[in-house]
Amino acid sequence: MYRRFYEGGMMGEGICDYTKSIIDLRRHMWMAGVEVELRRLIWQIAVVGKYISAKIHEANRKLAGFKNIYGEDQLSLDRSTDEILKNQLQFSGFVREYASEEHDTIIKIGTGSEKYIVTADPLDGSSLVETNLAIGTIIGIHKESIFDTGKNTMVAALYITYGPLITMVYSAGKGTHEFVLNREGEYVLAQEDIQLKPKGNIFSPGGIRRDWLPEHARFIAKLEEEGYKLRYSGGLVPDINQLLIKKGGIFTYPALQKAPRGKLRLLFELQPMAFIMEQAGGRATDGREDILSLKVETLDQLAPIYIGSIAEIQMAEQFLPKKK
Ligand code: FDP
């Protein structure tokens, strides 16, 4: 939708290099009519992604035998990426509260009069770092108190994937869009207004089969019977990103025998992913209720999740017990 504006020659006239045809993140958000403070905040977080990526590289050098030259104790990668994010947001001028997976309480930053509250999983899938698989940062942006439903409080969400490429997917409630960090350090538009197909052909099932509840096991057996391909990396960000880029399928981390609320965190992981997925024409449910209709009561609240294209979510709902 926005690309046409540029291709029509209305912008970049007279510029004869390739920058004429690229749309960077800031331009895109401006063209999409994202409110000015929100788009500055999203852009600042995307920039933090570059620092986090640098930190990951530094940690990998350590794994490869490099030592901190001063012999200091190094913070864990989760902690140091959290510090980077918190410090940057502190001076953004747009954030009054910061809630991160790395802290037990909400941290007040700024003066208190700023518009937004940010939730963060600064480095999701950090246990995968040493394997060199993709990992990510997950962000939710809220206007009101986070202790409510996502539907009532969220205005935007984004995630950054640190893989062979660094990509960023955001939604500010006007579609879901993918950007790639180019060699010049700009996030350039890769896919605009991503829309899932009604039905996909991949499935990513979390948890161990012996811990699944019988109804969930029957649902997964049905997917296998129908020829769905197994695609599970163990990192939420690349696994969700895969559904979006392949335009369909399902990711699930279900209720388990000994963990009826599953493993994943509602505030830090599930709400942002649900926001992005719904904007891409998909759905996210805990099996009974939409993820964005669940009220957040505590920062560490967990919920089961079924997220992806419409047909697979409906199929899951047929197997799972209805809400009483
Ligand atoms: P991790 O434990 O590596 O941090 O949020 C936690 C998470 O990874 C998600 O990224 C991932 O989807 C899930 O846990 C994987 O859990 P399993 O190891 O149980 O498959």
Side-chain angles (χ1 to χ4, degrees), residues 115-131:
K115 253 190 190 163
Y116 299 110
I117 304 173
V118 168
T119 70
D121 185 351
L123 200 63
D124 188 79
S126 54
S127 63
L128 295 175
V129 171
E130 60 189 352
T131 68

Side-chain angles (χ1 to χ4, degrees), residues 121 124-127 207 232 234-236 251 253 263-265 269:
D121 185 351
D124 188 79
S126 54
S127 63
Y232 188 80
L236 183 64
F251 172 95
Y253 210 108
K263 173 183 180 186
L264 301 180
R265 278 140 289 212
E269 295 171 303

